[in-house]
Amino acid sequence: MAIGTDFVAGGLRDGLVLNYASEREMIQRFAGPLPERGRPIDGLLDELAEVAHWSVAQSDPRYLAFPDSGSSVAAALASIVSTFLNQNLITFDRGAPAASVIELQLIGWLRELVGYPTRPLTEYDGLRGVGAMWTSGGNMSNHVAIATALAARWPQVHREGVRGLPERPVIVLARQVEHFSYRAAAQVLGLGSDALVWSAAAPNHTSDVAALAAALADPPDGARPFMVVGVAGNCRTTGIDDLAAIADVCAEHDVWFHVDACHGGSLLFSERLRGRLTGIERADSVSLDPHKGLFVTYPSSYLLVRDPADLARFARYPEKLNDPDCLDLGLITPFYGSRGFESLRLWALITHLGRAGVAALVERRQHTFEEMSQLLRDTGMFRFVGDSDFYRCAFVFCPRPAGELLEQLSARRETRPPLRAIVSKYTRAYAEELYRSGAVVFDLFALEDLADRLGLGTTDKFDVMGMCVGHPDIDDATRQQITEHLVATGEKLMPAMLAELRLLGDGEAADDSCLVLGPAGW
Ligand SMILES: *Cc1c(COP(=O)(O)O)cnc(C)c1O
């Protein structure tokens, strides 16, 4: 317990978000032979403190890479309790009597938030009406969604497999706003990644609805689209699709509409913000990821299915589905056997704060995100790529003088590829320098500049940084500290970047060896 609180308070990590060590160094630190003899608890506690020392604190407000703050005290307490309870939600009797009911109630609340039909739990009449399951993450929720949609269209797939289907099943989704889980699921489920039919993204990093419709209207030969993915908050810029429009298109073409609300799901709690997800109630299935933006720790994800009968198809003993005295959740949860009481954390959060309390946190976080975006802008160090719909934005390192050079140089088309390379390179250097210092953490990933904000073309990817705000509040002293680190890092890298841009302007190839960079040696 003391190790946990010391870690969260910062003492165990020298007041930094993390103490950086390379992969090799970390292996050196913890590798060892199978211990023949154990050590007493005191010695073990020292080891655990050492593990904490080398861990990343997502609960620190200077951690700005993902929204997974896990900062709810109610959820943390529930987590400790659930460890001691050690329930197994595969069954009610002999496994998890109270826990099964708690999870069912939580599922009912989540369905209500999405806008799905619900009934009071007191009217429970069997597993066929549950219509949701806990999973270990959005990746798994999306796997279950695809398996569910596939069997809804072709029930024979459970017996005959994919090869027994009269048509080739395909999923239509937009490229550039997609999550890797769809490709992974297509591979794992035997559809093959060729079963993904890609359509275009709009300049604001959402699915282009007309392009989705066109792909549905004209599928590849022999293929039958059975699912469309709508994105309620893409994982790069949090762009939210026009879900109502996609619902119309899906209805017209009679395909399953899945909404990936792993990020956007938290907005459902807020009366003020949930309007951005209008249309989600028409989805056939929805993935929610409370461990991503609802302040609870891993693992917490849910797949909700509008018509519970579609999930009930996975029942191991179909005759039990209509039994009002059967509460064995393990009968309808594909992929899982024994599993723990992970739902207690989200249940505790909602029980402690109420819907309105969670909404207040989500709204305050939104406000904090907007202020933090302004803080980034005010440093004069960055250029944004794409728009952000809620708590995450993407940007490159491009201090004002570099931006001016960029503008002049990009007039010549042939300099655009090397300019892109320079911007990417210094963005990478910036993110790494900052990360290794342990003072502030941004995300680093690749993104197309679909709206051509940088004037360097829309088709090739840039290395960009991402800022994601997972905390409702960041105090003034912390903001000040963040600003200082951002400016200092920028000033350190700027001379080399300007020199390289000028070289390019003079028509000379960039020479990596003349870079003067920090000791991090990226
Ligand atoms: C994060 C994410 C997922 C996967 O969730 P995990 O919890 O990491 O398994 C799926 N879809 C989207 C849009 C995501 O952002």
Side-chain angles (χ1 to χ4, degrees), residues 60-345:
D60 189 304
R62 295 165 299 172
Y63 182 90
L64 296 164
F66 296 105
D68 314 2
S69 69
S71 56
S72 159
V73 173
L77 292 175
S79 194
I80 294 168
V81 172
S82 80
T83 297
F84 281 97
L85 298 183
N86 195 30
Q87 300 293 284
N88 183 351
L89 278 90
I90 194 167
T91 60
F92 179 88
D93 285 332
R94 298 173 191 82
S100 300
V101 175
I102 296 279
E103 184 161 297
L104 272 177
Q105 184 54 79
L106 177 65
I107 280 172
W109 293 343
L110 295 177
R111 287 182 63 91
E112 187 179 328
L113 283 165
V114 163
Y116 278 169
T118 51
R119 283 193 310 170
L121 185 54
T122 46
E123 292 171 24
Y124 177 78
D125 62 358
L127 292 166
R128 70 190 161 107
V130 173
M133 67 178 275
W134 170 89
T135 81
S136 52
N139 181 46
M140 185 54 92
S141 291
N142 291 340
H143 276 64
V144 177
I146 294 173
T148 308
L150 190 67
R153 162 79 48 196
W154 294 287
Q156 70 269 35
V157 74
H158 282 178
R159 200 180 60 252
E160 298 171 16
V162 177
R163 79 194 147 71
L165 303 184
E167 301 146 300
R168 189 166 69 84
V170 296
I171 300 170
V172 176
L173 71 171
R175 203 186 278 289
Q176 298 168 324
V177 295
E178 87 282 8
H179 186 264
F180 74 83
S181 47
Y182 297 96
R183 186 184 298 276
Q187 290 169 347
V188 167
L189 296 170
L191 296 167
S193 48
D194 287 351
L196 301 176
V197 172
W198 298 102
S199 64
N204 66 349
H205 293 262
T206 61
S207 306
D208 181 326
V209 182
L212 284 177
L216 285 172
D218 186 22
D221 275 354
R224 170 75 165 97
F226 70 100
M227 183 193 231
V228 165
V229 178
V231 186
N234 75 58
C235 53
R236 302 172 187 97
T237 64
T238 59
I240 301 176
D241 286 0
D242 184 343
L243 300 178
I246 301 178
D248 287 341
V249 169
C250 290
E252 187 184 322
H253 291 273
D254 185 28
V255 292
W256 185 280
F257 178 29
H258 174 64
V259 171
D260 190 331
C262 282
H263 278 292
S266 61
L267 306 185
L268 292 168
F269 285 82
S270 159
E271 295 298 344
R272 190 155 66 71
L273 300 173
R274 63 169 292 136
R276 299 191 192 180
L277 271 61
T278 297
I280 194 172
E281 70 287 352
R282 294 170 62 197
D284 294 291
S285 55
V286 175
S287 297
L288 300 174
D289 238 4
H291 64 216
K292 251 184 201 153
L294 265 181
F295 322 106
V296 301
T297 51
Y298 307 113
S300 179
S301 182
Y302 293 85
L303 187 267
L304 313 185
V305 179
R306 188 176 41 182
D307 181 354
D310 289 324
L311 193 61
R313 269 198 195 89
F314 291 97
R316 238 175 297 156
Y317 306 109
E319 68 281 6
K320 289 204 175 179
L321 286 174
N322 297 325
D323 179 355
D325 294 323
C326 177
L327 250 162
D328 299 345
L329 290 172
L331 289 181
I332 54 158
T333 47
F335 293 109
Y336 290 92
S338 297
R339 62 189 179 88
F341 195 4
E342 310 293 353
S343 285
L344 190 62
R345 282 170 284 128

Side-chain angles (χ1 to χ4, degrees), residues 390-409:
F390 50 109
Y391 58 34
R392 183 179 170 96
C393 57
F395 51 93
V396 292
F397 175 54
C398 187
R400 275 190 198 110
E404 285 158 19
L405 280 172
L406 209 70
E407 232 139 79
Q408 294 164 18
L409 296 173

Side-chain angles (χ1 to χ4, degrees), residues 20 22 25 428-437 492-493 516-522:
Y20 178 79
S22 71
E25 289 163 345
R428 252 184 347 258
Y430 189 102
E432 280 293 284
E433 174 88 22
L434 209 57
Y435 179 66
R436 291 177 187 207
S437 77
K492 186 163 164 192
L493 292 177
V516 187
L517 285 175
W522 49 279

Side-chain angles (χ1 to χ4, degrees), residues 7 11-14 18-19 48-56:
F7 174 72
L12 265 183
R13 43 188 166 92
D14 306 332
L18 75 147
N19 284 283
L48 292 178
E50 180 74 357
V51 173
H53 177 77
W54 294 105
S55 296
V56 176

